[in-house]
Amino acid sequence: MSVYKLQINGKTVQADVEPDTPLLWVLRDHLGLVGTKYGCGIAQCGACTVHLNGQATRSCVLPVSSVGNSKVTTIEGLSKNGDHPVQQAWNEVDVPQCGYCQAGQIMTAAALLKRNPKPTEEEIETTMSGNLCRCGTYHRIREAVKLAATKTK
Ligand code: FES
Ligand code: FES
């Protein structure tokens, strides 16, 4: 075991874990940040998506030893009051069904709009197609990303 100092949602936190522990399990089991979900564990579904220095990253395959001083943002840290433009759009469009995949979807969409505030339909499709939704909310997800783009400055 080793002690890792991590920058999570604007705070420095510590976790005493094995170096190969995926960031996902550090977040969920050691830090109580359970908004980030486990879907496949092999980087195929996107349920575990967080931001690493603003980039959408699959935390299920990222060993804690590789995180270093990178700034990690989870769904809990995306906004103070759940009012990030993507979260607002998600509410307005009423996207979620069971909800399980939605934190990952929102984190992927937020990272897209950060690097490209006015994406084309094709760019939205390409980026969001890596996040799976067993409930099939894909149409509402695409609508909400487009709506969020109108709210993003
Ligand atoms: S749980 Fe990480 S991509 Fe599926
Ligand atoms: S809302 Fe149920 S898996 Fe996406």
Side-chain angles (χ1 to χ4, degrees):
M1 304 276 261
S2 309
V3 177
Y4 291 93
K5 255 192 193 168
L6 302 165
Q7 310 299 321
I8 312 241
N9 296 336
K11 288 189 194 136
T12 303
V13 296
Q14 289 194 355
D16 191 1
V17 290
E18 297 292 345
D20 60 354
T21 307
L23 175 63
L24 174 62
W25 299 119
V26 175
L27 294 172
R28 291 184 56 85
D29 292 353
H30 296 267
L31 303 173
L33 295 167
V34 295
T36 308
K37 298 294 192 257
Y38 170 75
C40 64
I42 52 168
Q44 295 296 309
C45 75
C48 65
T49 304
V50 299
H51 294 176
L52 210 69
N53 293 331
Q55 294 213 7
T57 303
R58 301 198 162 183
S59 62
C60 69
V61 290
L62 183 70
V64 66
S65 54
S66 320
V67 176
N69 275 329
S70 300
K71 289 191 172 71
V72 178
T73 307
T74 70
I75 188 72
E76 291 89 347
L78 186 61
S79 63
K80 277 211 173 79
N81 304 304
D83 56 358
H84 183 284
V86 171
Q87 291 169 306
Q88 289 178 14
W90 244 246
N91 278 337
E92 283 176 43
V93 176
D94 200 11
V95 175
Q97 199 159 313
C98 83
Y100 198 83
C101 71
Q102 298 289 330
Q105 306 277 3
I106 288 171
M107 295 308 280
T108 300
L112 165 65
L113 295 180
K114 192 166 184 191
R115 69 168 197 278
N116 180 2
K118 300 289 172 232
T120 62
E121 290 220 10
E122 201 181 338
E123 286 165 338
I124 293 172
E125 186 54 41
T126 305
T127 303
M128 299 309 299
S129 64
N131 282 66
L132 305 185
C133 173
R134 285 174 53 166
C135 301
T137 63
Y138 298 112
H139 181 70
R140 293 201 296 275
I141 287 168
R142 276 41 167 187
E143 286 309 302
V145 176
K146 280 189 247 169
L147 179 60
T150 68
K151 298 171 181 287
T152 306
K153 289 167 201 116

